[in-house]
Amino acid sequence: MKIVAKIAELKEILNEYRDQGKSIGLVPTMGALHQGHISLVKRCIQDNDCCVVSVFVNPTQFNDKNDLKHYPRTPKEDCALLESVGCSIVFIPEVEEMYPEEDNRIFDLGSAAEVMEGRFRPGHFNGVAQIVSKLFYAVEPNKAYFGEKDFQQIAVIRAMERQIKTGVEIIDVPIVREDDGLAMSSRNRRLTESQRKNAPKIWETLSKSYNFAKDHSVEETTNFVIDTLNKIPEFKVEYYEIVDGDTLQPIKDWIETKRPVGCIATFCGEIRLIDNITYSVK
Ligand code: AMP
């Protein structure tokens, strides 16, 4: 496995793969890797001759500078884990390499970027589009892999790709959970012991709402989730919205979409966690 910090070196290595007609897959990450990331990496290895994993805590997507400061960074462990699963190249640049000067690009990411995360984390998705587009230009992958844990992000990246037309195929990969149901996240390691004990209640409540939804309205189901979680100590739901899984626009009635998806962001103490569930309401 090669560990590369410079775009020029990365391009040189990847050109050799391309010259030999080999396919290239990209998994963008911010490191502090866990099995959720690894499921993307394994899928990428399966589908491509060369798997590139980027590890870069992207400053432009953090609207909360405190979150950026405390974001876990474990580069040595990340490289060891990636090597053990058969990754070909880890791209692990410094901030100056990705942003030699300020990136002033503003992307038109459409209505999918305006709701939920877009509303509560202003500038977040534009920062995501800045870094993912730079990675697409640097790696020129055939395919890029994204986790459904960040459900809205996938729709936004598809919108970005429609705009910049690099030809990269966007592949989504299901959420990986801990045994107790908590969606794996690099931020989980920042939870206190008691917060960690309560955090699985997010998925437990979403799962309960799956059956609740069968004989309740969208509004009742939304309130059920918010009220249940807000009763747990240290929990404060930022939003719970049931949206059309393709457009990400909120629905009022189940019949408005074939694919209703409930998306949550909740604070657990200082830590902001997200998750989602796809409903099946006939
Ligand atoms: P991050 O390092 O948090 O930016 O995540 C990098 C990629 O891994 C994103 O596409 C995430 O959606 C994906 N990812 C993170 N956690 C999980 C998980 N628990 N299951 C599946 N994919 C995940």
Side-chain angles (χ1 to χ4, degrees):
M1 185 181 79
K2 290 201 168 72
I3 300 175
V4 180
K6 301 285 181 202
I7 294 173
E9 188 192 351
L10 181 66
K11 279 183 174 288
E12 208 173 300
I13 299 170
L14 290 173
N15 280 337
E16 280 176 36
Y17 277 95
R18 263 187 290 269
D19 289 347
Q20 294 167 18
K22 293 188 169 161
S23 61
I24 297 165
L26 169 68
V27 182
T29 82
M30 297 206 297
L33 300 181
H34 49 67
Q35 289 305 315
H37 297 112
I38 295 304
S39 76
L40 272 65
V41 175
K42 286 188 172 156
R43 176 78 195 278
C44 177
I45 292 171
Q46 222 175 57
D47 292 355
N48 301 278
D49 299 310
C50 171
C51 166
V52 182
V53 178
S54 60
V55 173
F56 180 66
V57 181
N58 174 39
T60 72
Q61 73 187 67
F62 283 82
N63 54 316
D64 175 353
K65 294 302 161 207
N66 200 40
D67 189 24
L68 171 63
K69 190 169 148 214
H70 291 107
Y71 199 85
R73 289 165 170 87
T74 58
K76 277 204 191 103
E77 290 85 344
D78 292 347
C79 288
L81 183 57
L82 289 171
E83 176 138 52
S84 75
V85 294
C87 165
S88 324
I89 301 170
V90 184
F91 178 52
I92 180 159
E94 296 292 337
V95 172
E96 296 70 36
E97 180 70 3
M98 297 316 287
Y99 297 102
E101 54 203 46
E102 207 178 319
D103 189 343
N104 293 315
R105 291 174 302 158
I106 305 282
F107 290 80
D108 175 9
L109 300 167
S111 51
E114 281 160 19
V115 294
M116 301 189 290
E117 295 293 285
R119 187 151 60 92
F120 286 97
R121 300 182 72 188
H124 167 67
F125 282 133
N126 198 61
V128 169
Q130 287 177 342
I131 191 61
V132 173
S133 62
K134 278 173 184 271
L135 290 167
F136 281 11
Y137 296 137
V139 177
E140 297 179 58
N142 301 86
K143 294 178 177 161
Y145 296 80
F146 296 90
E148 285 174 358
K149 172 165 166 282
D150 298 86
F151 188 77
Q152 191 179 3
Q153 175 171 273
I154 299 179
V156 170
I157 285 171
R158 291 213 158 99
M160 178 203 78
E161 171 52 26
R162 280 197 295 276
Q163 202 181 116
I164 65 172
K165 294 191 169 60
T166 56
V168 177
E169 189 183 340
I170 313 294
I171 311 281
D172 41 330
V173 180
I175 302 181
V176 179
R177 300 181 177 283
E178 302 285 357
D179 290 342
D180 58 17
L182 176 63
M184 288 190 185
S185 164
S186 306
R187 289 186 176 88
N188 291 351
R189 63 180 82 193
R190 293 190 53 214
L191 297 169
T192 64
E193 206 176 310
S194 70
Q195 289 166 352
R196 178 63 190 80
K197 263 193 202 132
N198 282 332
K201 293 190 178 142
I202 301 169
W203 177 239
E204 193 184 298
T205 305
L206 294 185
S207 302
K208 278 188 189 150
S209 79
Y210 182 90
N211 283 332
F212 185 92
K214 293 193 166 143
D215 44 20
H216 292 86
S217 68
V218 170
E219 190 183 353
E220 285 164 343
T221 308
T222 305
N223 290 337
F224 168 77
V225 169
I226 295 174
D227 295 345
T228 309
L229 288 174
N230 275 341
K231 285 194 188 105
I232 301 166
E234 297 195 78
F235 270 60
K236 190 163 188 340
V237 176
E238 191 169 58
Y239 66 78
Y240 185 64
E241 286 192 26
I242 299 174
V243 300
D244 175 309
D246 297 317
T247 65
L248 280 292
Q249 300 311 297
I251 58 165
K252 286 202 161 67
D253 199 316
W254 297 112
I255 56 163
E256 284 173 45
T257 175
K258 285 201 179 78
R259 193 182 170 210
V261 179
C263 298
I264 190 156
T266 179
F267 280 95
C268 186
E270 273 186 11
I271 313 303
R272 186 177 184 275
L273 301 174
I274 60 170
D275 202 345
N276 62 78
I277 187 166
T278 301
Y279 290 102
S280 159
V281 180
K282 297 247 163 58

